[in-house]
């Protein structure tokens, strides 16, 4: 029994051991499975991380590619537009150049009426208000025509109104309506204002000289204000500029020599007052140095005294062939609107009285007849060394107060090099400096500033120069008779009959007689002397416009 029990116990122990071993094996299997699962999980995580990294790497590349594509899409149309735009401009310039070469005319031989037909309206009215006078050229013995304007222009009506009234000195009172709503200084003006008539004999004379890029057109609004100060204005187009004839040599020195001839042709013997704008400062100062006895005072407006310091576009103008094309393109009437908008933005023309036709008039003056070539010749002949500037700034006009000088500077010009140079060199001669606050075109919006400076400088010389001198009664009566619109003398007789008349407008002398008859008339407009007689008949007339003397014999 004992052995049986031992054997049974051993069997039990063996079973237990087997069970334990089986459990251990199962645990190991489980652990191995768990380890495999863990390894698999780890591998999966690593794979996921690697895929994420690859995706992250790919994302910036994709973003960069997208950005590049967007940039290309944006750049491509702009580049295409620029290429087309500049291509069109290049083709236009080449076409214009070829057309200019094959259609170039010598404008000196072209009839001036050809240019008048396409002239802007303000410039045409300015042209009609002036006159051409022959000037004897003492330098070469020839002559040239000079355009001058001596009276103010009515810018709203083609003809001034004269109601027959005269002032206390017998001078006619002209009633004009003005287009300007103010005088440029903020003050309103009456539309009907009295402008006294002036002349070079009874009044002080102011000679207005323009600069390189302007003509007498720039002074058109200023004339009436100068007349209101009882000063006689004379605005001229210098030879080679505007409507005046060209010279064989358009240099500043040659133009300066002609000023003396111009004053002789105008029969002005007394000293005058010079009004010089821009580069006219060089011309007028040289003239005053050489003919000191003919100049009483000088008013400088934005003077350009140093010709060695010129704008950049002057270098373009000096370039052969391209200078001509540049000025033709710049003054082309087809660029009128673009040109006005550019200048309006720069000079604030939208708030001024300057119209597009006014701007076109300035550029048309440069294009008139042969003025483009004259402009180029003048620029090329300039003494661009400092020698000429030194001569002017060390002259007696600059250093000694021989001639009273007034200086007018616009807002844009005050701080410029030319302004500072002039003020430093002419300090001892400048009587007064006026800084006009304007950012627009000076002559268009401040036409009265010059007249005030002229009046001040003349009063500083002698307060009695602008006072009207009384005239004899006989002279007053003659003036009144000459200013009448119509004069008519008519007579009939059997013996000797005489019809005699004087008139400012149309004058008519008409006589009929049996014996000797005489028709005699004088008039500034259309004058007509007409007579009929039996024996001897005489028709005689004197007039400024259309005149004729007609004698008919009827009878025995």
């Amino acid at each position: 029994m004992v052995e049986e029990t031992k054997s049974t116990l051993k069997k039990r122990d063996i079973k237990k051991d087997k069970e334990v071993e089986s459990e251990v094996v199962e645990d190991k299997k489980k652990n191995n499975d768990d380890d495999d699962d863990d390894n698999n999980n780890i591998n999966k995580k690593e794979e996921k991380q690697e895929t994420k990294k690859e995706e992250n790497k790919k994302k910036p590349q994709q973003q960069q590619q997208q950005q590049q594509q967007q940039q290309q899409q944006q750049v491509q149309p702009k580049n295409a537009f620029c290429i087309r735009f500049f291509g069109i401009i290049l083709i236009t310039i080449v076409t214009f150049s070829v057309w200019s070469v094959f259609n170039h005319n010598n404008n000196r031989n072209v009839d001036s009426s050809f240019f008048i037909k396409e002239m802007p309206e303000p410039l045409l009215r300015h042209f009609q208000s002036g006159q051409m006078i022959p000037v004897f050229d003492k330098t070469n013995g020839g002559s040239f025509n000079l355009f001058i304007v001596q009276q103010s222009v009515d810018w709203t009506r083609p003809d001034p109104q004269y109601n027959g009234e005269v002032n206390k000195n017998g001078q006619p009172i002209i009633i004009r309506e003005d287009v300007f709503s103010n005088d440029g200084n903020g003050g309103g003006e009456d539309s009907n204002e009295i402008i006294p008539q002036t002349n070079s004999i009874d009044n002080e004379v102011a000679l207005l000289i323009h600069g390189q890029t302007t003509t007498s057109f720039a002074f058109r609004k200023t004339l009436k204000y100068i007349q209101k100060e009882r000063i006689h204005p004379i605005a001229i187009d210098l030879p080679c500029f505007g409507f005046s004839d060209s010279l064989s040599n358009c240099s500043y020195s040659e133009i300066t020599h002609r000023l003396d001839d111009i004053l002789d042709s105008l029969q002005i013997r007394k000293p005058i007052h010079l009004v010089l704008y821009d580069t006219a400062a060089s011309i007028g100062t040289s003239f005053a140095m050489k003919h000191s006895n003919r100049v009483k005072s000088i008013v400088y407006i934005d003077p350009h005294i140093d010709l060695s310091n010129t704008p950049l576009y002057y270098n373009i103008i000096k370039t052969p062939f391209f200078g001509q094309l540049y000025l033709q393109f710049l003054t082309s009437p087809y660029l009128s609107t673009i040109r006005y908008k550019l200048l309006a933005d720069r000079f604030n023309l939208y708030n001024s009285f300057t119209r597009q036709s006014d701007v076109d008039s300035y550029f048309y003056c440069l294009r008139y007849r042969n003025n483009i070539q004259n402009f180029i010749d003048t620029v090329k002949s300039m003494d661009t060394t400092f020698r000429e500037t030194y001569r002017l700034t060390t002259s007696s006009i600059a250093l000694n107060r021989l001639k009273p000088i007034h200086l007018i500077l616009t807002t844009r010009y005050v701080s410029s090099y030319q302004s500072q140079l002039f003020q430093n060199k002419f300090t001892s001669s400048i009587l007064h400096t006026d800084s006009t606050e304007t950012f627009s075109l000076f002559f268009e919006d401040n036409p009265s500033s010059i007249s005030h400076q002229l009046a001040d400088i003349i009063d500083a010389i002698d307060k009695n120069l602008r006072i009207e001198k009384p005239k004899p009664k006989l002279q007053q009566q003659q003036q009144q008779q000459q200013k009448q619109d119509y004069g008519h003398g008519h007579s009939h007789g059997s013996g000797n009959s005489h019809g005699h008349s004087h008139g400012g407008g149309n004058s008519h002398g008409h006589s009929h007689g049996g014996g000797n008859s005489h028709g005699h008339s004088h008039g500034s407009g259309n004058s007509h002397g007409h007579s009929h007689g039996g024996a001897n008949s005489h028709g005689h007339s004197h007039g400024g416009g259309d005149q004729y003397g007609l004698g008919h014999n009827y009878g025995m």
Side-chain angles (χ1 to χ4, degrees):
M1 292 292 292
V2 174
E3 289 178 359
E4 289 177 358
T5 54
K6 287 181 180 180
S7 61
T8 52
L9 290 170
K10 283 180 182 181
K11 289 178 181 179
R12 287 179 183 176
D13 292 334
I14 292 167
K15 285 182 181 180
K16 288 181 180 179
D17 292 335
K18 288 180 178 179
E19 290 176 356
V20 170
E21 287 178 1
S22 62
E23 290 177 357
V24 170
V25 172
E26 288 178 359
D27 291 336
K28 285 181 178 181
K29 286 182 179 180
K30 288 181 180 180
N31 290 332
N32 290 332
D33 293 336
D34 292 336
D35 290 337
D36 292 336
D37 293 336
D38 292 337
N39 290 330
N40 291 330
N41 292 331
I42 290 170
N43 291 331
K44 289 180 179 179
K45 288 181 180 178
E46 289 177 353
E47 289 177 357
K48 288 181 180 179
Q49 290 177 355
E50 288 178 358
T51 54
K52 286 182 179 179
K53 287 181 180 179
E54 290 178 356
E55 289 178 356
N56 291 332
K57 288 181 180 179
K58 290 180 180 179
K59 282 183 179 179
Q61 291 178 356
Q62 292 176 352
Q63 290 177 355
Q64 289 179 357
Q65 289 177 355
Q66 290 177 356
Q67 289 177 357
Q68 289 177 358
Q69 289 177 356
Q70 290 176 357
Q71 289 177 357
Q72 288 177 356
Q73 290 176 355
Q74 292 176 355
V75 169
Q76 282 178 357
K78 286 187 177 179
N79 291 337
F81 174 77
C82 292
I83 292 171
R84 293 190 189 98
F85 179 74
F86 287 107
I88 292 171
I89 291 179
L90 182 61
I91 293 171
T92 303
I93 293 174
V94 171
T95 305
F96 182 77
S97 302
V98 174
W99 178 86
S100 300
V101 169
F102 290 99
N103 291 275
H104 179 70
N105 295 319
N106 184 6
N107 291 327
R108 295 176 187 270
N109 301 326
V110 177
D111 186 5
S112 60
S113 61
F114 173 79
F115 297 92
I116 295 174
K117 292 177 182 178
E118 59 179 16
M119 195 177 294
E121 183 267 339
L123 185 61
L124 179 60
R125 299 190 65 185
H126 174 70
F127 177 75
Q128 292 171 340
S129 69
Q131 60 184 5
M132 305 292 291
I133 63 167
V135 177
F136 176 71
D137 192 346
K138 289 181 288 189
T139 303
N140 55 23
S143 64
F144 61 90
N145 291 322
L146 185 84
F147 179 77
I148 67 169
V149 180
Q150 300 189 75
Q151 299 294 336
S152 60
V153 180
D154 181 359
W155 292 96
T156 57
R157 286 195 303 265
D159 298 317
Q161 282 190 348
Y162 174 61
N163 57 5
E165 298 180 0
V166 295
N167 59 17
K168 60 181 180 180
N169 295 318
Q171 295 178 337
I173 298 175
I174 304 297
I175 306 297
R176 302 174 184 267
E177 287 184 1
D178 208 3
V179 74
F180 316 115
S181 61
N182 63 51
D183 60 357
N185 295 325
E189 284 195 0
D190 190 0
S191 59
N192 292 327
E193 55 182 339
I194 299 175
I195 300 178
Q197 297 298 291
T198 58
N199 58 74
S200 60
I201 298 175
D202 300 324
N203 302 96
E204 292 294 298
V205 178
L207 184 65
L208 286 70
I209 305 178
H210 59 84
Q212 177 72 27
T213 56
T214 56
T215 62
S216 60
F217 179 77
F219 298 108
R220 71 192 187 284
K221 296 181 182 179
T222 305
L223 297 178
K224 73 164 188 176
Y225 294 101
I226 296 177
Q227 284 184 267
K228 288 169 68 175
E229 299 291 348
R230 302 198 179 279
I231 304 168
H232 184 63
I234 302 177
I236 66 172
D237 282 352
L238 290 172
C240 301
F241 291 88
F243 300 119
S244 296
D245 286 351
S246 302
L247 302 176
S248 58
N249 184 353
C250 290
S251 64
Y252 276 8
S253 59
E254 291 295 322
I255 293 174
T256 302
H257 293 330
R258 303 311 190 278
L259 290 182
D260 187 51
D261 300 335
I262 291 171
L263 293 179
D264 289 342
S265 298
L266 292 171
Q267 297 183 350
I268 298 176
R269 302 285 182 260
K270 61 184 179 182
I272 63 172
H273 305 272
L274 289 177
V275 178
L276 310 174
Y277 172 65
D278 193 47
T279 52
S282 175
I283 297 174
T285 305
S286 299
F287 175 76
M289 292 166 56
K290 187 176 181 180
H291 302 278
S292 179
N293 60 325
R294 306 203 75 164
V295 178
K296 190 176 290 187
S297 70
I298 306 176
V299 175
Y300 291 95
I301 307 167
D302 288 351
H304 190 110
I305 203 75
D306 183 8
L307 298 180
S308 64
N309 189 298
T310 55
L312 178 62
Y313 67 86
Y314 274 41
N315 296 327
I316 302 176
I317 293 172
K318 294 179 183 178
T319 307
F321 182 72
F322 287 103
Q324 183 91 11
L325 293 177
Y326 172 75
L327 290 177
Q328 287 180 354
F329 182 77
L330 192 67
T331 60
S332 173
Y334 302 107
L335 299 178
S336 174
T337 303
I338 298 174
R339 188 167 53 219
Y340 176 74
K341 288 183 178 180
L342 291 175
L343 292 175
D345 293 335
R346 181 179 179 184
F347 294 104
N348 192 24
L349 300 184
Y350 297 116
N351 298 324
S352 70
F353 301 104
T354 308
R355 300 167 297 173
Q356 184 172 336
S357 58
D358 296 328
V359 175
D360 290 340
S361 297
Y362 282 99
F363 284 89
Y364 188 84
C365 289
L366 182 58
R367 198 172 69 252
Y368 181 78
R369 299 193 72 170
N370 206 50
N371 287 348
I372 287 180
Q373 186 60 49
N374 293 339
F375 189 95
I376 295 173
D377 294 341
T378 303
V379 172
K380 287 182 176 179
S381 62
M382 283 183 179
D383 186 359
T384 55
T385 65
F386 198 75
R387 179 176 54 195
E388 178 66 15
T389 305
Y390 179 79
R391 185 181 72 87
L392 297 176
T393 54
T394 57
S395 64
S396 58
I397 303 295
L399 300 179
N400 304 320
R401 188 168 285 186
L402 298 177
K403 309 293 179 187
I405 292 177
H406 272 216
L407 177 62
I408 301 177
L409 299 173
T410 57
T411 308
R412 292 179 180 273
Y413 205 78
V414 170
S415 59
S416 66
Y417 160 75
Q418 297 288 345
S419 171
Q420 298 299 323
L421 174 67
F422 188 90
Q423 292 183 76
N424 291 334
K425 298 298 183 180
F426 285 73
T427 302
S428 59
S429 299
I430 296 176
L431 187 65
H432 178 71
T433 301
D434 177 33
S435 179
T436 304
E437 295 184 1
T438 176
F439 289 92
S440 184
L441 298 179
F442 171 71
F443 296 105
E444 299 296 329
D445 292 340
N446 294 276
S448 62
S449 296
I450 299 175
S451 63
H452 299 330
Q453 297 297 329
L454 269 174
D456 291 343
I457 205 169
I458 292 174
D459 291 343
I461 298 172
D462 187 352
K463 292 184 178 180
N464 296 322
L465 290 176
R466 293 194 302 122
I467 298 177
E468 287 190 70
K469 299 176 182 179
K471 297 179 181 180
K473 291 184 178 179
L474 179 62
Q475 188 175 359
Q476 292 182 16
Q477 293 175 356
Q478 290 177 350
Q479 287 182 349
Q480 290 178 6
Q481 291 176 356
Q482 291 175 359
K483 298 300 179 180
Q484 294 297 325
D485 286 335
Y486 297 92
H488 188 176
H490 196 99
S491 61
H492 300 265
S494 60
N496 297 323
S497 60
H498 183 193
H500 196 96
S501 64
H502 299 265
N506 299 318
S507 58
H508 183 190
H510 196 96
S511 61
H512 300 265
N516 298 321
S517 61
H518 182 193
H520 194 97
S521 63
H522 300 263
S524 61
N526 299 319
S527 57
H528 178 193
H530 195 92
S531 61
H532 300 268
N536 299 320
S537 61
H538 181 198
H540 193 83
S541 65
H542 301 271
D546 299 322
Q547 54 182 347
Y548 60 93
L550 186 63
H552 297 287
N553 293 324
Y554 299 98
M556 301 295 297

